[in-house]
Amino acid sequence: MIDAVAGLLDAQGPGHSRQRPGDAQSRGEHRSVAQPSVAQPAVERPSVKAPDGEQVGGEQAGSGYLPESTASNQQQAAAGPQAARPLRALVIGYGSPIRGDDAIGPLVADRLAAQLAADPALGDGVEVQARHILTAEIVDDLVRAERVVFIDAAADLTPGEVRCCRLAPDTATLSTMAHFHDPRELLAWCAALYQRSPQAWLVSAGGADWGYASYSLSSTAQGAVEPMIAEILVLISPSP
Amino acid sequence: MTLCTLPGTATMSRTISIDPVTRIEGHARISLQLADSGEVEDAKFHLTQFRGFEKFCEGRPYREMPALTARTCGICPVSHLLASNKACDDLLAVSIPPTAEKLRRIMNLAQLLQSHALSFFHLSSPDLLLGWDSDPAQRNIFGVMAQNPELAKQGIKLRQIGQTIIEMLGGKKIHPTWVVPGGVNEPLDSSKREAMLEMLPNALTIAKDTYALFKTMVPRFKDEAEHFGTMPTMFLSLVSPKGQLEHYDGFLRLKDAEGRIVEDMVPPSDYPRIIGEAVEDFSYMKFPYYKPMGYPNGIYRVGPLARLNNADSCGTPFADVALAEFHMLQEDSGPVRSSFHYHYARLVEIIFAIEMMQRLLKDQGILDTRVRARARGNRNEGIGVAEAPRGTLMHHYRIDDAGLISWVDLIIATGHNNLAMNQSIKQVADAYVDGNKLSEGMLNRVEAMIRCYDPCLSCASHAFGQMPLSIELKDAAGNTLDRLVRDA
């Protein structure tokens, strides 16, 4: 799926202003990282306010967002051990594997998964998913994670350019289709159903070719893979 | 399928045929024709998108067909995958190993579980919980979460379980490639079987609780049940050789509106004898009909409602109890006729799917490693029929001696219901359109009635709260009196 988040963020209404990475309650901040150099900012842990005003996330969140013991948690546990396992970070790369550079999300996810598997300390508590699209059941995974990084291709960026956007729950992104959901809508599902939502970012890269391909990228998009992985590693790194 | 153009809307037709965004979005249009008396004379449901799968598959190797046709939909790719592979099995002239058939059945049931869960919990529950006359801005999934968060969580959980089983079997949730001509390409291992079996009791608890909740809600919808598609039609579905509920194989059965069996134990390969396809100039969706009665008298419905009406029993404990209660929805002894009760039927089928998956996974031969029959094309024509969540799905291919596709006919579940959906719109319009003015409540009910069928217009009707829809009201001379448009 090709993201157009920048445009949507701009349309969030009066009073919205772009904020620096790490600012609390930011809804539309993003930074572009000129390829091939990659900015490596210190990752702050901004707070997100749930709809009820409860402060969640950031250093206030303690060990994570999952409640100590709730009916829903018990229900999750009954569904299987994996369903209840809290995650330090969840990384979800999504896009069509057969539409050229739209595959960059799942391809980067695959590369990252291999990298984390080779370094257990780095990958501890991190789950990486490669998906075609974002669907409703992902909410069950999102709510287990302290931080979530979505990876997608972008049509509104210069080909090869990498961007990192902070995401926040947004009910205005409600999808009229069931096939695909905006990541901010799924974060809003988390907030509405569980009164908490993970800290979330969208790391995207401009694509150059959207024609048919078999899980492969144009050379331009290929050049964005390593910068994206570097960006994601910063976002999911354990707090000092 | 014959291409047609919309009369008097040449610009729209051209736009649709050349604009891929419009095709993908799949907007629907409804037009109502008024008689001189002001009463609704005719209603039409226009599908204004054109996909062209039957044409662009020509010339491709038949082994590509499962992967190609699965792209018809992102919600029910498994259904196309199965029907297509069954057609390919027929081209190979092989009988697939028994374990492969059981594994395919499990995947089909997992697909049914996740798709029905999506339809009930996420697409229809805003109508059912919040009401047709509620504020459209609130009548969406967030409104449901506010009113009944546990129900929304349970919907997510059921869908997750269905999708996880598909992923465990097929390697991925969307467009899995594990099912192949001749069987499946990998046997099931014991760890996956145990993981699936561990999830299913929770799924069954959710399904039974939801069923019990919905039973208490049904009396509230007496008015809708009386006006949402109660016209007399036949019902078509697969049944097992014993006449039981069937989703993967078996034989075609057709019952009439009074419950008399019109056709029974028809081999799927014989479907062209009983099913014809008509084309109308106002829609890209074909109009299948029962051939012996002609078009349009040969109207029938497919999907959960038809399957439960046709089945003598389900064959699993809780689903059989629910089936008996389903039949009590109809006051006389005939089939359940209101399309509103598709919702009820979906919940019964969810229970059945979970129970049957448990049974299949506990089968002692389910871990057998012989799961694929290998052969080259041995026939020039193949037919595959399976029950998709929305109804009977038919794939029919012809190939040349080099194995290249020369002709394709796909009859999808939503197509079977096309005549019935048009008549249902007419019925809702008769009940709710007053004079020459459209109201929001009428629009809501038309939308909700369409959603009873859970049509797969490759996206358009899978809408949360609001589907992109326009309704036109015309007088006898064809002049537009009123128009309501709801954008996506």
Side-chain angles (χ1 to χ4, degrees):
Chain A
M1 194 60 65
I2 304 164
D3 92 71
V5 164
L8 293 172
L9 291 169
D10 285 337
Q12 283 179 350
H16 169 70
S17 60
R18 292 182 182 276
Q19 294 171 295
R20 294 171 55 78
D23 287 351
Q25 300 178 50
S26 64
R27 293 171 69 85
E29 61 182 305
H30 71 272
R31 62 180 183 276
S32 292
V33 182
Q35 187 229 339
S37 63
V38 183
Q40 302 276 339
V43 175
E44 298 173 44
R45 302 182 62 189
S47 303
V48 179
K49 276 198 174 177
D52 60 2
E54 180 190 357
Q55 187 85 5
V56 294
E59 298 304 321
Q60 306 296 324
S63 60
Y65 297 144
L66 286 173
E68 297 287 326
S69 175
T70 66
S72 62
N73 226 16
Q74 289 161 9
Q75 200 172 62
Q76 284 182 2
Q82 191 182 5
R85 185 166 62 93
L87 296 170
R88 179 165 58 80
L90 172 64
V91 181
I92 303 175
Y94 59 99
S96 170
I98 60 171
R99 293 310 298 260
D101 292 341
D102 196 30
I104 198 164
L107 273 168
V108 166
D110 286 349
R111 286 277 300 274
L112 180 69
Q115 208 165 318
L116 296 182
D119 185 348
L122 196 62
D124 185 43
V126 180
E127 185 174 307
V128 181
Q129 300 180 5
R131 290 175 168 273
H132 191 158
I133 51 178
L134 299 179
T135 47
E137 67 274 9
I138 296 175
V139 169
D140 242 23
D141 297 327
L142 297 179
V143 80
R144 291 189 288 126
E146 288 183 39
R147 305 179 208 176
V148 175
V149 181
F150 296 96
I151 319 168
D152 195 8
D156 63 335
L157 287 177
T158 305
E161 183 183 4
V162 177
R163 176 176 63 196
C164 179
C165 298
R166 183 70 203 275
L167 300 178
D170 187 353
T171 58
T173 57
L174 179 70
S175 168
T176 58
M177 308 290 172
H179 290 53
F180 170 76
H181 298 278
D182 186 291
R184 293 164 298 171
E185 182 193 349
L186 294 177
L187 295 172
W189 283 46
C190 293
L193 288 174
Y194 299 96
Q195 291 73 54
R196 67 192 64 81
S197 151
Q199 297 176 88
W201 292 265
L202 172 64
V203 176
S204 45
D209 185 354
W210 312 104
Y212 289 109
S214 181
Y215 213 35
S216 60
L217 303 174
S218 67
S219 57
T220 308
Q222 187 63 44
V225 170
E226 287 303 328
M228 291 176 89
I229 290 174
E231 193 75 22
I232 296 161
L233 286 173
V234 171
L235 293 171
I236 66 172
S237 66
S239 298
Chain B
M1 179 180 176
T2 304
L3 259 174
C4 54
T5 55
L6 301 173
T9 56
T11 302
M12 175 180 286
S13 180
R14 277 199 304 272
T15 302
I16 290 166
S17 63
I18 63 171
D19 186 343
V21 176
T22 303
R23 287 192 216 126
I24 292 167
E25 288 298 324
H27 288 226
R29 187 163 64 90
I30 290 170
S31 60
L32 306 175
Q33 184 79 41
L34 289 185
D36 287 336
S37 62
E39 293 177 343
V40 177
E41 189 172 61
D42 196 14
K44 287 187 172 69
F45 182 51
H46 307 261
L47 180 58
T48 54
Q49 62 181 349
F50 179 69
R51 304 292 301 281
F53 272 78
E54 291 171 334
K55 197 65 188 171
F56 69 63
C57 286
E58 289 178 5
R60 305 305 306 173
Y62 72 89
R63 286 183 182 276
E64 288 184 0
M65 289 302 284
L68 284 173
T69 56
R71 264 67 185 180
T72 306
C73 182
I75 288 292
C76 48
V78 169
S79 304
H80 287 282
L81 192 66
L82 288 169
S84 181
N85 273 295
K86 289 184 75 178
C88 290
D89 296 341
D90 199 14
L91 292 171
L92 302 181
V94 297
S95 177
I96 72 169
T99 300
E101 181 188 317
K102 289 170 189 159
L103 291 170
R104 285 183 178 185
R105 283 179 179 274
I106 294 170
M107 181 176 262
N108 198 31
L109 292 166
Q111 153 80 6
L112 184 133
L113 169 62
Q114 67 86 8
S115 179
H116 280 3
L118 182 74
S119 173
F120 182 81
F121 289 90
H122 300 148
L123 303 181
S124 296
S125 66
D127 299 330
L128 301 171
L129 276 184
L130 307 173
W132 328 108
D133 298 311
S134 60
D135 178 3
Q138 302 298 319
R139 196 166 47 87
N140 56 42
I141 191 66
F142 288 111
V144 172
M145 290 175 188
Q147 179 150 330
N148 193 337
E150 282 307 311
L151 188 72
K153 287 178 188 172
Q154 289 175 343
I156 290 170
K157 178 58 70 181
L158 269 191
R159 187 168 149 81
Q160 184 189 49
I161 290 171
Q163 291 284 66
T164 301
I165 291 174
I166 291 170
E167 187 175 29
M168 282 181 171
L169 291 170
K172 54 182 182 174
K173 293 181 170 78
I174 311 291
H175 302 315
T177 53
W178 167 76
V179 183
V180 292
V184 298
N185 65 18
E186 193 178 333
L188 181 64
D189 69 46
S190 58
S191 63
K192 286 183 179 175
R193 175 172 75 163
E194 294 312 310
M196 292 180 204
L197 282 170
E198 193 177 347
M199 289 187 284
L200 290 174
N202 185 41
L204 189 56
T205 299
I206 293 172
K208 288 195 292 185
D209 287 351
T210 308
Y211 173 75
L213 171 70
F214 188 64
K215 269 201 307 182
T216 67
M217 295 168 64
V218 168
R220 289 187 224 161
F221 304 113
K222 187 170 182 291
D223 192 53
E224 284 75 17
E226 286 176 357
H227 295 110
F228 279 24
T230 57
M231 64 279 165
T233 72
M234 293 175 284
F235 297 96
L236 174 76
S237 72
L238 290 173
V239 292
S240 76
K242 292 180 179 176
Q244 291 184 312
L245 184 62
E246 173 64 56
H247 294 90
Y248 174 76
D249 209 355
F251 299 92
L252 293 167
R253 172 178 282 180
L254 196 73
K255 267 187 185 176
D256 70 13
E258 279 70 49
R260 292 182 291 256
I261 292 179
V262 178
E263 297 276 358
D264 204 13
M265 298 300 148
V266 177
S269 58
D270 203 20
Y271 90 85
R273 179 179 64 79
I274 62 170
I275 304 297
E277 294 178 273
V279 175
E280 294 280 6
D281 61 4
F282 63 83
S283 178
Y284 281 118
M285 184 154 53
K286 295 183 287 190
F287 289 78
Y289 60 97
Y290 176 51
K291 262 185 186 173
M293 290 182 68
Y295 178 79
N297 292 333
I299 180 174
Y300 59 86
R301 281 176 276 183
V302 298
L305 189 76
R307 288 192 288 257
L308 293 197
N309 275 330
N310 281 348
D312 299 332
S313 67
C314 293
T316 62
F318 291 112
D320 268 332
V321 172
L323 178 66
E325 292 176 336
F326 166 81
H327 284 305
M328 293 169 67
L329 294 169
Q330 186 69 28
E331 289 180 356
D332 57 39
S333 60
V336 176
R337 285 194 280 276
S338 173
S339 291
F340 180 78
H341 294 313
Y342 268 99
H343 298 306
Y344 197 112
R346 267 182 210 106
L347 293 177
V348 177
E349 284 204 322
I350 285 175
I351 292 173
F352 170 80
I354 297 165
E355 290 185 303
M356 187 53 78
M357 279 192 282
Q358 287 179 313
R359 181 180 296 175
L360 289 166
L361 285 165
K362 289 174 182 171
D363 186 282
Q364 60 179 3
I366 199 68
L367 299 180
D368 195 305
T369 55
R370 191 170 295 171
V371 292
R372 185 173 183 179
R374 295 178 187 276
R376 293 184 174 181
N378 288 305
R379 291 187 183 126
N380 291 104
E381 187 164 2
I383 294 174
V385 178
E387 287 289 336
R390 293 158 190 83
T392 315
L393 174 64
M394 297 164 166
H395 280 225
H396 188 174
Y397 310 149
R398 291 186 190 130
I399 58 173
D400 62 20
D401 290 340
L404 301 180
I405 293 286
S406 59
W407 178 85
V408 177
D409 191 22
L410 307 176
I411 309 181
I412 63 167
T414 299
H416 289 294
N417 280 333
N418 201 0
L419 275 170
M421 286 193 291
N422 276 272
Q423 287 207 10
S424 300
I425 292 167
K426 170 79 163 52
Q427 189 182 23
V428 172
D430 282 338
Y432 296 103
V433 171
D434 183 16
N436 295 338
K437 188 67 183 171
L438 295 172
S439 70
E440 182 72 19
M442 183 260 167
L443 179 63
N444 291 346
R445 282 171 173 80
V446 170
E447 186 183 44
M449 184 283 301
I450 293 171
R451 200 171 284 126
C452 290
Y453 290 91
D454 190 23
C456 187
L457 307 180
S458 76
C459 298
S461 299
H462 289 100
F464 284 109
Q466 295 186 0
M467 70 171 75
L469 188 70
S470 76
I471 298 184
E472 291 177 350
L473 194 64
K474 293 184 176 180
D475 64 16
N479 301 312
T480 300
L481 299 174
D482 200 1
R483 187 163 185 259
L484 272 179
V485 177
R486 175 177 286 167
D487 291 325

